[in-house]
């Protein structure tokens, strides 16, 4: 499993030595039925990058190999010393790359063992705005639709996402459905992406114009009497207040950089059964929560909250959903809210720790955690994450981590490892046991295909070894996956994310089970909807179904948003005349530690923007992209799919986030990765000779 689609893979170990001989899609897995993408296969069988195979400690400024006893002693002493100043002196950074069991154990150690509020995961860098918008609208997290709804949709509206690259197997289902008579694929994206290339219609809005466009579409829905008045009256609150605050369509379209014809096309498309997908292009912004909420509003107003339709946020990392459910990051396990003292007490009782040890808020998010180093925080434990490359304003992150006592637990030698005081080499996929949860809420088993390499330990082993020293009564025994999953599942009983009807025996028999699963014979389907049978897992997408809605909100109704959002933190000016956006390469993996080469990142710009640099720009021309936070060397590629005035860079190169902004959405704490002001200069003979401006 390499992304949040959650494909099952069959892996076979080599006959002699260590490693994998074969990886392919698992035909028996209910998610992908044997399909697999190149990233999922090649990166699993033969990843690039430098494997960590021995513990390391820093001596005289250098990382040197050591024994496990020495590494664990050094890490334990450093973290223990920090904890003497209080629980918030230790920060913990987790990941969407861990199993459910490891994520649960890490959260239990951070919250129940240390008691720190400075704990979060890199999933906040990609999904927090969607999560916040789901809570605002529905009272709980995770998309209402599932993959079962894709074939039944008439319109597939992909907004600020590129599933052709990020989720190839899922995108195959989308294109198959969109190819049916009467169906279509529409893409909203500033860039003519790989997904836009095969769409029936592409809406190339201005970078950062998403909220204005979403509000323009909703205003046009209202003007043209496309509101599903019955659904709005029966199942929602707040529409009349929102209706009164909708913008003038022409003015909002102009702010979004689109034509009125495009607004009309989107409003008309929502009349049909529509799945509205969005991704990082929406979430990674200071107005990410507001924009995700505005997209949900479009679904609510048009009644697109029934099987074959609905708001479907596309998750990136393999176990981002599992981290949200299991890890005590933004909520307690099962999506129990931090602000509810009864839930907090239930968790304390389950963990047998004083309720006073558990923090009563989820903390400031990853950016806030890094900023707290040197004041509240003096030690950091980072697990399966690479914040030096993956967080915005990366030079600042590197400097802050260098000022802390840093323990890094990872499978590969990353930029964050370079800053560490102690390094634990950890097992990765194919070497670990446990479960994961994909973006449609389906829990699958993960099994080790090979023995754990000599000198390497699993995440669970390492978390347990640290807990033995720092919180010795937290885990009754050395944590094992099956027992931890049983503990986790029990703790989710009766919650919106109920796993209590799932265990390893059931997963052995059924391969994968979608939550909520409160009973051994129940598996969740489309959320918040019941048909005449009264069970949401029996709903079909058939027209004319007798549906009713119930939401875990105080009123039992879905809620429209208010559309409020802060202004963009940085816009182009005379010194920095271009807009940087970041996105994915095909078959590349997160910050690139498993798939990167040593070449410069490719900066894609429009021919007009390239023409401001040189009349005859060569394909191998190099240059520098600079922002107010740093500058990096790039290879420049003139590309007609990029709009004028925009510089496109890949998220997977470790240098790119030296440029990006650390401003965050005020509610979700997700960073504003997608737009910042930059300038681009062509390098000749080692010198920058020109500064590009927006093409005309």
């Amino acid at each position: 499993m390499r992304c949040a689609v959650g494909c099952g893979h069959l892996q076979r170990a080599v006959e002699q030595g260590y490693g994998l001989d074969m990886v392919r899609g698992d035909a028996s897995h209910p998610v992908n039925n044997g399909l697999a993408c190149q990233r999922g296969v090649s990166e699993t069988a033969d990843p690039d990058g430098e494997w960590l195979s021995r513990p390391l400690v820093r001596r005289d400024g250098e990382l040197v190999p050591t024994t496990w006893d020495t590494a664990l002693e050094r890490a334990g002493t450093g973290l223990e010393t920090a904890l003497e100043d209080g629980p918030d002196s230790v920060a913990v950074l987790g990941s969407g790359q861990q199993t459910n069991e490891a994520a649960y154990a890490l959260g239990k150690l951070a919250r129940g063992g240390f008691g720190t509020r400075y704990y979060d995961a890199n999933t906040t860098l990609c999904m927090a705005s969607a999560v916040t918008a789901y809570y605002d609208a529905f009272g709980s997290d995770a998309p209402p639709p599932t993959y079962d709804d894709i074939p039944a949709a008439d319109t597939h509206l992909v907004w600020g996402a590129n599933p052709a690259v990020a989720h190839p197997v899922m995108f195959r289902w989308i294109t198959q459905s969109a190819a049916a008579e009467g169906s279509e694929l529409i893409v909203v994206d500033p860039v003519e992406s790989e997904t836009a290339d095969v769409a029936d219609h592409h809406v190339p809005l201005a970078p950062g114009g998403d909220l204005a466009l979403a509000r323009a579409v909703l205003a046009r829905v209202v003007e043209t009497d496309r509101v599903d008045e019955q659904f709005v009256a029966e199942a929602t609150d707040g529409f009349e207040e929102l209706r009164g605050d909708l913008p003038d369509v022409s003015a909002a379209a102009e702010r979004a950089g689109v034509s009125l014809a495009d607004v009309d096309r989107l409003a008309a498309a929502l009349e049909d059964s529509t799945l509205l997908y969005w991704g990082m292009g929406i979430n990674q912004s200071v107005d990410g929560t507001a924009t995700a909420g505005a997209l949900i509003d479009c679904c609510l107003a048009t009644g697109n909250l029934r099987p074959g339709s609905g708001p479907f946020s596309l998750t990136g990392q393999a176990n981002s959903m599992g981290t949200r459910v299991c890890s005590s990051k933004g909520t307690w396990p099962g999506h129990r809210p931090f602000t509810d003292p009864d839930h907090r007490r239930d968790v304390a009782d389950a963990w047998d720790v004083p309720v006073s040890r558990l923090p009563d808020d989820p903390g400031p998010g990853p950016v806030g955690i890094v900023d707290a180093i040197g004041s509240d925080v003096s030690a950091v434990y980072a697990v399966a994450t690479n914040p030096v490359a993956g967080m915005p304003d990366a030079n600042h992150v590197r400097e802050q981590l260098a000022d802390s006592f840093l323990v890094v637990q990872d499978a590969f030698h990353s930029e964050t490892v370079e800053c560490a005081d102690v390094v634990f080499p950890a097992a990765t996929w194919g070497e670990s046991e446990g479960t994961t949860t994909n973006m449609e809420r389906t829990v699958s088993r993960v099994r080790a295909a090979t023995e754990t390499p000599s000198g390497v330990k699993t995440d669970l082993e390492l978390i347990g070894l640290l807990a033995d020293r720092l919180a010795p009564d937290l885990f009754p025994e050395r944590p094992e996956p099956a027992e931890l999953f049983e503990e986790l599942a029990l703790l989710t009983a009766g919650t919106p994310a109920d796993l209590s009807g799932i265990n390893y025996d059931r997963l052995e028999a059924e391969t994968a089970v979608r939550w909520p699963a409160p009973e051994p014979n129940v598996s969740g389907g489309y959320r918040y909807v019941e048909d005449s049978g009264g069970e949401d897992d029996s709903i079909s997408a058939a027209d004319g179904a007798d549906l009713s809605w119930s939401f875990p909100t105080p009123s039992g109704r879905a809620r429209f948003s208010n559309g409020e959002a802060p202004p963009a933190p940085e816009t182009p000016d005379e010194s920095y005349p271009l807009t940087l956006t970041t996105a994915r390469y095909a078959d590349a993996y997160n910050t690139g530690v498993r798939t990167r080469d040593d070449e410069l990142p490719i900066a894609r710009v429009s021919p007009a923007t390239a023409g401001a640099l040189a009349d005859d720009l060569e394909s191998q021309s190099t240059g520098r992209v600079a922002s107010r936070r740093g500058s990096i060397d790039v290879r420049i590629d003139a590309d007609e799919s990029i709009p004028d005035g925009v510089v496109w860079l890949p998220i997977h190169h470790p240098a790119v986030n030296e440029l990006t902004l650390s401003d965050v959405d005020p509610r979700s704490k997700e960073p504003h990765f997608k737009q910042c002001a930059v300038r681009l200069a062509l390098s000749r003979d080692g010198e920058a000779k020109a500064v590009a401006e927006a093409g005309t």
Side-chain angles (χ1 to χ4, degrees):
M1 182 181 291
R2 290 304 174 193
C3 77
V5 174
C7 297
H9 289 142
L10 292 176
Q11 305 177 58
R12 184 177 67 202
V14 295
E15 292 183 3
Q16 293 184 339
Y18 171 77
L20 296 176
D21 177 55
M22 178 276 295
V23 178
R24 60 178 173 82
D26 182 357
S28 68
H29 198 282
V31 168
N32 57 313
N33 297 305
L35 294 176
C37 69
Q38 187 58 40
R39 175 175 63 172
V41 171
S42 63
E43 190 278 317
T44 304
D46 188 24
D48 294 324
E50 180 184 344
W51 290 80
L52 294 170
S53 58
R54 294 186 62 184
L56 306 172
V57 295
R58 190 168 296 279
R59 291 199 184 112
D60 300 324
E62 299 291 329
L63 284 173
V64 297
T66 190
T67 65
W68 271 111
D69 286 344
T70 299
L72 289 164
E73 172 68 22
R74 179 84 173 272
T77 299
L79 295 173
E80 193 170 38
T81 300
L83 287 169
E84 291 174 358
D85 294 327
D88 290 339
S89 293
V90 171
V92 178
L93 296 173
S95 170
Q97 300 304 313
Q98 296 177 281
T99 62
N100 290 321
E101 294 79 1
Y104 173 72
L106 183 64
K108 185 176 180 180
L109 177 61
R111 302 298 200 190
F114 301 158
T116 183
R117 64 186 295 270
Y118 289 112
Y119 162 60
D120 216 299
N122 55 24
T123 53
T124 297
L125 304 178
C126 57
M127 292 310 301
S129 293
V131 169
T132 306
Y134 277 141
Y135 273 111
D136 287 348
F138 306 128
S140 71
D141 178 21
T146 74
Y147 299 156
D148 295 338
D149 298 296
I150 294 175
D154 295 319
T155 299
H156 297 272
L157 176 52
V158 178
W159 197 314
N162 189 12
V165 163
H167 306 102
V169 171
M170 183 182 187
F171 188 60
R172 180 170 176 176
W173 303 328
I174 292 172
T175 54
Q176 286 174 338
S177 177
E181 185 176 354
S183 297
E184 64 177 344
L185 170 62
I186 302 175
V187 173
V188 179
D189 197 314
V191 172
E192 189 177 339
S193 66
E194 291 85 348
T195 302
D197 280 343
V198 299
D200 297 290
H201 188 65
H202 174 216
V203 179
L205 78 169
D210 302 276
L211 180 57
L213 178 55
R215 283 294 179 242
V217 171
L218 185 53
R220 191 61 175 153
V221 164
V222 171
E223 286 182 355
T224 54
D225 296 324
R226 291 186 169 104
V227 175
D228 187 332
E229 300 285 359
Q230 182 178 356
F231 172 80
V232 169
E234 291 179 356
T236 73
D237 282 330
F239 184 62
E240 291 307 314
E241 293 87 341
L242 177 58
R243 189 199 299 257
D245 290 335
L246 288 174
D248 174 77
V249 175
S250 296
E254 184 176 355
R255 287 196 301 274
V258 304
S259 67
L260 285 175
D262 278 333
V263 174
D264 276 333
R265 179 72 181 265
L266 293 171
L270 289 165
E271 282 191 285
D272 298 320
S273 182
T274 299
L275 278 171
L276 198 167
Y277 315 83
W278 77 90
M280 302 309 106
I282 299 300
N283 296 337
Q284 292 179 330
S285 169
V286 293
D287 63 9
T289 297
T291 306
L295 298 180
I296 295 172
D297 289 342
C298 288
C299 291
L300 293 178
T302 55
N304 278 296
L305 202 75
R306 48 174 54 87
S309 68
F312 203 153
S313 66
L314 300 180
T315 307
Q317 294 186 75
N319 201 32
S320 179
M321 179 66 75
T323 303
R324 287 146 67 179
V325 172
C326 302
S327 72
S328 305
K329 176 184 73 72
T331 60
W332 299 115
H335 293 165
R336 296 172 179 266
F338 265 80
T339 54
D340 188 315
D342 292 335
H343 282 294
R344 189 161 163 258
R345 190 177 303 107
D346 288 344
V347 173
D349 290 346
W351 289 351
D352 195 21
V353 300
V355 69
S356 59
R357 183 180 298 173
L358 301 183
D360 56 8
D361 71 79
V367 171
I369 288 173
V370 168
D371 288 343
I373 295 172
S375 54
D376 289 353
V377 173
S378 59
V380 179
Y381 177 32
V383 180
T385 187
N386 186 16
V388 170
M391 287 185 63
D393 194 3
N395 287 326
H396 171 67
V397 176
R398 184 183 294 107
E399 291 166 1
Q400 289 290 95
L401 288 174
D403 287 340
S404 72
F405 176 79
L406 177 61
V407 179
V408 175
Q409 182 171 310
D410 211 330
F412 288 84
H413 195 116
S414 69
E415 288 71 25
T416 304
V417 165
E418 283 298 310
C419 300
D421 295 282
V422 181
V423 179
F424 294 154
T428 184
W429 304 111
E431 303 166 349
S432 302
E433 295 282 339
T435 60
T436 60
T437 311
N438 72 358
M439 75 171 87
E440 60 140 16
R441 299 175 271 117
T442 296
V443 179
S444 298
R445 277 282 277 122
V446 175
R447 297 173 179 82
T450 69
E451 296 293 326
T452 305
S454 175
V456 171
K457 298 183 185 298
T458 68
D459 279 341
L460 274 182
E461 286 181 279
L462 291 165
I463 293 165
L465 287 167
L466 283 181
D468 284 347
R469 172 162 184 156
L470 301 170
D473 297 325
L474 192 65
F475 297 102
E477 300 175 0
R478 187 63 50 83
E480 294 292 338
E483 288 76 16
L484 271 181
F485 187 87
E486 182 178 357
E487 178 183 320
L488 161 67
L490 264 171
L491 193 49
T492 68
T495 70
D498 195 330
L499 310 177
S500 60
I502 307 175
N503 57 33
Y504 277 28
D505 289 340
R506 183 177 180 186
L507 291 174
E508 186 71 33
E510 299 181 37
T511 306
V513 179
R514 188 188 297 128
W515 66 258
E519 302 292 341
N521 60 346
V522 172
S523 179
Y526 199 102
R527 303 181 82 198
Y528 315 127
V529 182
E530 293 183 353
D531 66 5
S532 56
E535 296 291 340
D536 66 354
D537 63 347
S538 66
I539 300 170
S540 72
D543 292 336
D546 183 14
L547 302 179
S548 62
W549 289 263
S550 178
F551 303 90
T553 61
S555 68
R557 293 165 168 261
R559 300 174 291 207
F560 283 91
S561 70
N562 59 26
E564 294 179 358
E570 187 174 272
T571 56
D573 58 19
E574 186 175 342
S575 298
Y576 297 91
L578 306 176
T579 297
L580 171 67
T581 192
T582 60
R584 295 179 186 270
Y585 274 143
D587 301 329
Y589 189 85
N590 292 2
T591 60
V593 292
R594 302 170 187 249
T595 54
R596 76 171 64 134
D597 52 37
D598 294 327
E599 295 183 356
L600 296 175
I602 296 176
R604 297 163 62 195
V605 297
S606 72
T609 302
L613 293 169
D615 294 332
D616 55 346
L617 190 72
E618 298 178 1
S619 61
Q620 298 299 315
S621 293
T622 59
R624 287 190 72 76
V625 179
S627 74
R628 290 179 174 84
R629 291 151 295 282
S631 63
I632 65 171
D633 293 320
V634 298
R635 184 159 61 87
I636 303 168
D637 181 15
D639 188 335
E640 292 182 350
S641 67
I642 308 299
D644 294 344
V646 171
V647 178
W648 183 103
L649 282 169
I651 65 169
H652 314 289
H653 196 283
V656 168
N657 277 322
E658 294 178 19
L659 307 172
T660 51
L661 281 163
S662 60
D663 294 65
V664 299
D665 182 295
R667 297 191 56 229
S668 71
K669 311 305 180 188
E670 183 163 349
H672 189 84
F673 282 107
K674 290 306 179 191
Q675 294 98 35
C676 69
V678 296
R679 60 174 177 252
L680 174 62
L682 183 66
S683 296
R684 289 177 180 159
D685 300 325
E687 298 182 4
K689 294 297 185 180
V691 176
E693 297 183 0
T696 57

